[in-house]
Amino acid sequence: MIEFDKSITVVTLFGFVILLSLVEMYFSYAHDSKHYQGRDTLTNMYLMAIAFLVNVTTKAGTFMLLEYVYRYHRLFQITNIYLYWLILILAQDFLYWVLHYTGHYVRFFWAMHVTHHSSQYFNLTTGFRSTVFEPLYRVFFYLPLALMGFSAFDILFAYLITQIYGNLVHTQTIGKLHPIFEYIFVTPSHHRVHHASNLRYLDKNMGMVLILWDRIFGTFQKEIDEEKIVYGLTKQPEDTGALNIIFHEFKALLADVKRAPKLTDKIKYFLYPPGWSHDGSTQTAKAMQRQLLNTP
């Protein structure tokens, strides 16, 4: 009965997000705010459908691996139900930050995560433009939760709840919120920065629910009123078809690997941040941001 109630909660909340998306879309077209564009929105839906299929295909394996670690290798068990859920949500949100950080600073993972950043529009349906292949490796980032004594079902439920919150911050409709809320939680303002292609904003604000992780680990950047956000990638693919959106960065990565003269450099292209090059012909976002900050 408890699991059934959790399923109903997730379906209800996800339906609420879809309803809000339709409302935002209507007002965007009604007021000609240009937050939506037909083909872009269809691409978001298409990529969400592919991600859903990958999720469904891998769900059983994800559940069994988490449950196996929970049943046979957990290090302790939290018996207080309130403390159990508080720690689970906090730990899951932190591990999502680690997963997200990896997706921006390890190029192999960026080649998969880049799909989510490829839209030049920012609206609630942008949250549906999923990292298609993330379900294949996400479970390994959440294994520590099973070791900490959290069951597979509860881990997946906590992820879905925080994911729904993460969808809601993909909007330009809401401005900045109360300073206390902005200090603690991820807000639409924070996530607009995250989806910007402006040099100052690259690879910032990785959190899903709490922005505190970014404040702690130095990846926080507030939205500056004087700097208009440009959404999308620093180099947009010419072919905006869904398949190219998924695979274009893999093609670029393999091309860079092919031209690297040494095996160590070939490996570095997979493991180093996007923008790293063996000959210095391109730079990482961090390197360019340091130059920006040092410019008088």
Side-chain angles (χ1 to χ4, degrees), residues 198-256:
N198 311 50
L199 176 57
R200 185 189 307 276
Y201 293 154
L202 293 179
D203 302 329
K204 302 297 184 181
N205 302 352
M206 309 285 184
M208 176 79 84
V209 175
L210 297 176
I211 199 65
L212 293 175
W213 312 123
D214 292 288
R215 294 185 185 278
I216 292 170
F217 296 107
T219 52
F220 174 73
Q221 172 62 54
K222 68 178 181 179
E223 184 178 15
I224 300 172
D225 295 334
E226 295 76 23
E227 183 160 356
K228 180 179 173 58
I229 289 179
V230 179
Y231 296 106
L233 304 172
T234 55
K235 184 179 180 181
Q236 287 291 134
E238 294 182 8
D239 179 0
T240 57
L243 284 178
N244 193 58
I245 290 295
I246 295 173
F247 293 108
H248 75 275
E249 181 60 21
F250 279 110
K251 296 175 185 176
L253 170 59
L254 292 176
D256 286 339

Side-chain angles (χ1 to χ4, degrees), residues 12-22 124 128 164 167-168:
T12 302
L13 290 173
F14 188 69
F16 178 66
V17 173
I18 293 176
L19 177 62
L20 284 179
S21 300
L22 293 173
L124 286 171
F128 299 140
I164 288 169
N167 272 91
L168 291 174

Side-chain angles (χ1 to χ4, degrees), residues 175-186:
K176 292 184 179 179
L177 302 175
H178 191 280
I180 295 177
F181 195 89
E182 290 272 341
Y183 191 84
I184 299 173
F185 296 100
V186 173

Side-chain angles (χ1 to χ4, degrees), residues 96 100 104 113 116-117 122-123 126-127 163 165-172 182 185-196 201 204-209 211 214 220-223 229 231:
Y96 173 80
H100 201 175
H104 278 256
H113 184 59
H116 181 62
H117 286 264
F122 189 73
N123 53 62
T126 308
Q163 182 71 46
Y165 179 89
N167 272 91
L168 291 174
V169 297
H170 290 82
T171 182
Q172 297 182 63
E182 290 272 341
F185 296 100
V186 173
T187 67
S189 176
H190 297 147
H191 210 61
R192 286 192 289 269
V193 166
H194 181 69
H195 275 260
Y201 293 154
K204 302 297 184 181
N205 302 352
M206 309 285 184
M208 176 79 84
V209 175
I211 199 65
D214 292 288
F220 174 73
Q221 172 62 54
K222 68 178 181 179
E223 184 178 15
I229 289 179
Y231 296 106

Side-chain angles (χ1 to χ4, degrees), residues 272-284:
Y272 279 25
W276 179 87
S277 57
H278 70 282
D279 57 3
S281 57
T282 56
Q283 293 181 301
T284 65

Side-chain angles (χ1 to χ4, degrees), residues 124-169:
L124 286 171
T125 68
T126 308
F128 299 140
R129 185 179 284 234
S130 305
T131 303
V132 171
F133 298 118
E134 187 178 289
L136 299 175
Y137 59 86
R138 182 171 57 219
V139 61
F140 298 104
F141 285 84
Y142 289 152
L143 281 180
L145 297 174
L147 287 171
M148 292 168 63
F150 298 107
S151 72
F153 191 86
D154 290 344
I155 293 170
L156 295 175
F157 178 71
Y159 171 76
L160 286 172
I161 293 298
T162 55
Q163 182 71 46
I164 288 169
Y165 179 89
N167 272 91
L168 291 174
V169 297

